[in-house]
Amino acid sequence: MSVCPRCQSEFTCAMADNTGQACWCTALPPIAFKKLPGGELKLDVLCFCPHCLPLWKAEREAEYQKNSPQ
């Protein structure tokens, strides 16, 4: 089992937990690296849970929109 670094809930990450199956997160659209601060993913985590990953992604996209020239 994996533990979400954001909410501390346990969940199955098929890739980190080596289940041999595709993970649920592969069904989500990717986030563009240009939308990440400095264009880099600066986290020491393997994955967020199914609840937190979409929230994290939305926060990065909102931050990008706020800081992008209009």
Side-chain angles (χ1 to χ4, degrees):
M1 292 300 284
S2 293
V3 176
C4 180
R6 193 174 161 126
C7 71
Q8 306 305 307
S9 67
E10 289 186 350
F11 68 101
T12 299
C13 171
M15 292 178 204
D17 299 332
N18 295 316
T19 66
Q21 299 176 348
C23 193
W24 58 268
C25 68
T26 60
L28 297 175
I31 187 168
F33 278 103
K34 71 178 184 178
K35 293 183 179 180
L36 298 173
E40 295 182 44
L41 183 59
K42 297 178 183 177
L43 294 172
D44 189 24
V45 299
L46 295 175
C47 194
F48 293 110
C49 72
H51 174 75
C52 290
L53 183 58
L55 294 175
W56 177 87
K57 183 177 181 249
E59 290 166 0
R60 301 293 72 75
E61 290 174 343
E63 184 177 317
Y64 176 77
Q65 292 298 323
K66 182 178 103 178
N67 295 322
S68 293
Q70 299 297 327

